[in-house]
Amino acid sequence: MTRSNLLFTAITVATLSLTSCTNDNEDSTLNYNVPTQYTFERNSSTTVDFSGQSSRLLMLGEMGTYISTAAKNKTFASNTVLSNMYVNSNNAFSSTDLNTSGKQLKDKTAASKDYFSTFLGGGGTAEKLAVQAFFETQLTNASFASTLPQVAASAGVAGVYLDGTSSRLFAANGLEPQQVFLKGMMGACFMDQVVNNYLSTDKLDEASNRENNTNKVVETAKNYTTMEHTWDEAYGYIYGADGGKYWDSYINQVNADVDFNTITVDLKNAFIKGRAAIVANDYETRNAQIDIIKTKLALVPAVRAVFYLQEGKSKLTTNNAPAFHALSEAYGFIMCLRYTNKPGTNAPYFTKAEVDTILSTLISGTNQTNGFWDVDYLNTKLDVLSLQIATKFGFTVAQAATVN
């Protein structure tokens, strides 16, 4: 450790002691300051950096817009362009910053340390490759449907379906590839990276990370320790790109329901408190916040899956496009459940096999070919699947169904 590091450590300890009397969160059990916002500085400069995570949030957004624009304008959604976007090659994005970021979505899909490197939670390399191939298939399906702008989607036929005044692209089985891709990637990429990678204690404490953080040894040419930055990267997948995207948006939507109206504050506070604990070398408090984040974040796709299953059920009447749109969102959120991490287990709330069975039940239909188009079959199953998910997380179907 350099002399400047030692000096800074001394100053930090003194500062923490001085600020304990005006603890922002008024937690009398802590002898250090916890700010009210995710703002952390060293030598009057920020130590927070999650630019890579913001890039990936923006990349996913541009891919979704590319497909929805093709559906709206009845233009071709090139599978080559979408594939290039997925791996960030050939300047596929509209922004030079994204094209030159060195970041991509595919190499972070089903790629966490816990599940897909050390193979906890039932994960493995074969699953990782299968998941990536699944998402590439969704891009292919979206592209194929876009080649049929004059074809109305129907049982066994891909094409366009009107949802009110909005045109949407559907695969032959009634799934909307764009929604499956977007919601599924929220789980397989963003959630997996948050709870199974950057908040993994094996990741946070690997090699000399804990010793260096304790002694405030910062990374070369950076203003943060590796552990601080690792925590920031988890935070960035939720709140990056100026916030309001993907998980941040859906956390707030769940929070809008009185039955879950503390989840926004609980998650944000846990991220802030955990980061402050890292600064203060309080690893016990850090780990307690990890458990809170894992528990609260897992609740979000569960609630939204049940909500969309019930919304889809309510719309299975005349125009099925709104129903299939909702059920496609449910499909994606159910996929997310495989990437949750139940505290104390290093395993998901639903195993991969359980998630696969739920998805298969949802989409298979009576004749095993038409998927969502087997409406009568869906009507008998949506409540059963909703109850299965709700029961696992300790809420009722009615509680989730009222979220809007």
Side-chain angles (χ1 to χ4, degrees), residues 10-167:
I11 293 173
T12 299
V13 171
T15 301
L16 294 173
S17 299
L18 288 171
T19 56
S20 64
C21 295
T22 57
N23 196 339
D24 289 347
N25 73 357
E26 298 180 351
D27 187 339
S28 60
T29 65
L30 302 178
N31 64 349
Y32 52 86
N33 180 58
V34 178
T36 57
Q37 301 296 322
Y38 199 86
T39 303
F40 298 90
E41 294 184 344
R42 175 170 291 120
N43 300 328
S44 300
S45 297
T46 184
T47 62
V48 177
D49 180 9
F50 45 80
S51 58
Q53 288 62 46
S54 290
S55 293
R56 290 189 176 89
L57 295 182
L58 295 172
M59 288 175 180
L60 188 63
E62 190 163 330
M63 294 181 74
T65 299
Y66 181 75
I67 296 171
S68 63
T69 300
K72 175 182 177 182
N73 296 335
K74 301 186 184 305
T75 55
F76 178 50
S78 167
N79 192 41
T80 299
V81 171
L82 288 168
S83 297
N84 284 336
M85 286 179 166
Y86 191 38
V87 298
N88 192 12
S89 64
N90 296 317
N91 298 316
F93 293 104
S94 61
S95 162
T96 301
D97 287 344
L98 293 184
N99 290 329
T100 60
S101 65
K103 308 298 181 183
Q104 61 167 283
L105 289 164
K106 184 175 180 178
D107 69 358
K108 295 295 183 182
T109 303
S112 64
K113 182 178 182 66
D114 280 354
Y115 284 7
F116 299 100
S117 179
T118 52
F119 305 137
L120 300 171
T125 301
E127 180 186 353
K128 171 181 180 176
L129 296 176
V131 170
Q132 293 175 348
F134 173 85
F135 285 118
E136 289 171 330
T137 297
Q138 300 313 304
L139 302 179
T140 300
N141 288 346
S143 179
F144 178 72
S146 77
T147 66
L148 307 167
Q150 307 306 323
V151 175
S154 59
V157 178
V160 180
Y161 215 121
L162 282 177
D163 180 1
T165 58
S166 300
S167 295

Side-chain angles (χ1 to χ4, degrees), residues 229-364:
H229 184 52
T230 300
W231 189 272
D232 291 344
E233 290 179 296
Y235 178 89
Y237 274 119
I238 306 295
Y239 304 104
D242 297 325
K245 297 174 178 62
Y246 301 108
W247 285 119
D248 188 22
S249 173
Y250 283 101
I251 289 166
N252 288 330
Q253 290 180 48
V254 171
N255 193 79
D257 186 325
V258 67
D259 296 303
F260 309 99
N261 63 1
T262 66
I263 196 166
T264 293
V265 170
D266 292 343
L267 274 166
K268 197 66 173 283
N269 284 349
F271 269 107
I272 294 172
K273 193 171 183 178
R275 182 59 154 82
I278 288 172
V279 175
N281 304 333
D282 178 2
Y283 304 113
E284 181 177 352
T285 297
R286 180 202 69 177
N287 291 347
Q289 306 318 301
I290 291 173
D291 286 353
I292 292 171
I293 294 168
K294 287 181 175 179
T295 301
K296 298 290 183 179
L297 191 58
L299 188 61
V300 179
V303 171
R304 293 312 285 181
V306 173
F307 171 79
Y308 283 118
L309 287 172
Q310 292 299 303
E311 183 178 72
K313 176 189 171 186
S314 72
K315 293 179 176 178
L316 280 173
T317 52
T318 52
N319 179 3
N320 287 321
F324 292 177
H325 172 68
L327 293 175
S328 295
E329 292 197 80
Y331 190 99
F333 279 119
I334 292 168
M335 288 181 64
C336 294
L337 300 177
R338 189 270 173 270
Y339 304 96
T340 58
N341 190 316
K342 188 175 183 179
T345 69
N346 248 335
Y349 284 79
F350 280 102
T351 66
K352 178 184 182 300
E354 289 172 331
V355 169
D356 287 348
T357 298
I358 293 172
L359 294 174
S360 176
T361 301
L362 177 61
I363 197 65
S364 60

